[in-house]
Amino acid sequence: MNRTYKITCALTVLTLALAGCAGKTNKAPEVKPNPLPKLTQAKTLVPVFSTNVSATEAADPLRLRLGADQGLIFAIDPKGEVSAFNGKQRVWQKKVAQDSLSAGVEAADGIVVVGTNKGKLLALDQKTGEQKWTAQLTGAILAPSLIHAGRVITVSNDGTVYAHEATTGTQVWTYNLPNVQFSLRGMAAPVPLDARNILIASANAYIYVIDAISGVPKMQRRVAVSDGRSDIQRLVDIDGEPVVAGQFVVTTSYQGQVTVLDLASQQVVWSEDASSIQRPEVVGNGVFVAQSNGKISAYEITTGQPLWENDQLLNRQLSNPVMLGNELVVGDLEGVLHLIDPRNGQIVGRAKTSGEVRTLRVIDNQLYVSTRKGALSIWQNR
């Protein structure tokens, strides 16, 4: 049984298409999303930018995202194109790959970095779109790279972490994550820990601290466990990026826990059962998690005490939550952006885009939205 087959099976479990892996014809029971709750005097968001690119497959976990740097907005099309915008005006558009673009966009230090499903890593000039360099990795690239400390850090789907010089593309080091027998098709993007070090989360429920310049590992720590009886039930991948909040690192895992780790002691402060493949959000003393079943939970960061729980969006396949201004925002399978009061979990507003929301991020107090249908948009508070 090869690795690709294993990964596809795990994803099938996640999406409840239980007949796919073993070739059975039994249909999975239909799970209907909760209807939208009625709102009175609802707040909304104002769109300030939008463009459309090619859609991704429903079963594909890709979370392609918009990027921004030096006043430009960068968009990626799965069919191999990258574009740059100044406001709503397109500055350049380049066909950069014959393979499907499967990761990006990451923009910093004058370059834009994207990756393909055949493991090709490309760096483009931000101003012109001209290719600066390319590199071939040993596995598909399913998560955006990180540009940090003069390095481009990328994790390929075979568990190899690569570092390339940002200016030349020269490979500087690699680090091999432990191989796992089963994992979800997906990968958490690398995140910065401090000026020199990075955090990598893996399918074996560990996080790793690695020196971005030298590739020397500094720490590894398990942050989730699973007590399932079968290999599938014991899947405990970390597919959402860890969040660094002062002395703490916050992680979520599929069929595992939301966990807070103290960086100084390298000890787990607290851990609570919660299944999620999404990046958590941390604001002030609050940890906010969109669980796989559509439940949104909030915890106090130092104690793990539950602050509130919202189950109005069950089975709506929620995106990662983000904080925009004074509201928490989460997207769903119908393209609805829900505005939530972070103090009590009450839904206070909504806006609508097109297609299942895959990725939310906030840059300069604006909401960047990417959907499976290929709708890329930027929103701000009214």
Side-chain angles (χ1 to χ4, degrees), residues 3 7 139-142 155-160 183-187:
R3 182 177 176 84
I7 292 173
I141 306 172
L142 301 181
V155 185
S156 68
N157 203 37
D158 64 356
T160 306
S183 67
L184 303 178
R185 179 175 167 81
M187 189 73 64

Side-chain angles (χ1 to χ4, degrees), residues 111-324:
I111 60 174
V112 180
V113 178
V114 296
T116 78
N117 61 359
K118 296 296 180 63
K120 189 175 183 180
L121 186 67
L122 304 101
L124 314 175
D125 185 276
Q126 285 190 7
K127 294 181 179 180
T128 65
E130 296 301 318
Q131 183 176 295
K132 300 282 285 186
W133 52 264
T134 66
Q136 184 61 51
L137 280 54
T138 53
I141 306 172
L142 301 181
S145 301
L146 170 68
I147 301 173
H148 189 64
R151 303 283 192 255
V152 175
I153 311 297
T154 312
V155 185
S156 68
N157 203 37
D158 64 356
T160 306
V161 185
Y162 290 84
H164 295 84
E165 286 189 357
T167 54
T168 66
T170 301
Q171 183 177 306
V172 183
W173 55 261
T174 62
Y175 181 83
N176 294 319
L177 300 173
N179 191 24
V180 293
Q181 186 177 14
F182 289 89
S183 67
L184 303 178
R185 179 175 167 81
M187 189 73 64
V191 297
L193 177 61
D194 53 37
R196 179 162 180 144
N197 298 296
I198 58 169
L199 266 175
I200 303 288
S202 76
N204 67 345
Y206 276 76
I207 57 172
Y208 300 83
V209 175
I210 302 175
D211 187 305
I213 297 175
S214 68
V216 174
K218 300 288 190 64
M219 183 194 82
Q220 67 177 47
R221 186 69 167 82
R222 183 159 193 161
V223 292
V225 295
S226 177
D227 58 0
R229 294 185 178 182
S230 69
D231 289 334
I232 298 297
Q233 291 172 336
R234 286 193 294 269
L235 284 173
V236 67
D237 292 37
I238 303 175
D239 275 9
E241 288 76 46
V243 176
V244 180
Q247 71 188 84
F248 302 121
V249 174
V250 185
T251 60
T252 55
S253 54
Y254 175 61
Q255 299 185 148
Q257 295 83 34
V258 52
T259 300
V260 171
L261 179 76
D262 187 301
L263 285 167
S265 66
Q266 300 184 18
Q267 298 299 310
V268 170
V269 179
W270 60 265
S271 186
E272 293 290 338
D273 288 344
S275 176
S276 178
I277 61 169
Q278 306 291 358
R279 176 189 184 275
E281 179 66 298
V282 181
V283 180
N285 70 333
V287 173
F288 305 97
V289 177
Q291 298 193 44
S292 300
N293 63 2
K295 187 180 296 183
I296 306 172
S297 304
Y299 307 88
E300 205 283 326
I301 191 169
T302 60
T303 64
Q305 178 182 352
L307 300 177
W308 53 259
E309 196 169 76
N310 184 312
D311 61 1
Q312 293 178 291
L313 304 177
L314 290 179
N315 306 315
R316 296 192 68 86
Q317 299 177 24
L318 301 183
S319 73
N320 60 299
V322 295
M323 196 71 178
L324 178 69

Side-chain angles (χ1 to χ4, degrees), residues 325-338:
N326 295 321
E327 277 84 42
L328 195 69
V329 183
V330 66
D332 71 15
L333 79 170
E334 294 179 337
V336 179
L337 302 170
H338 303 271

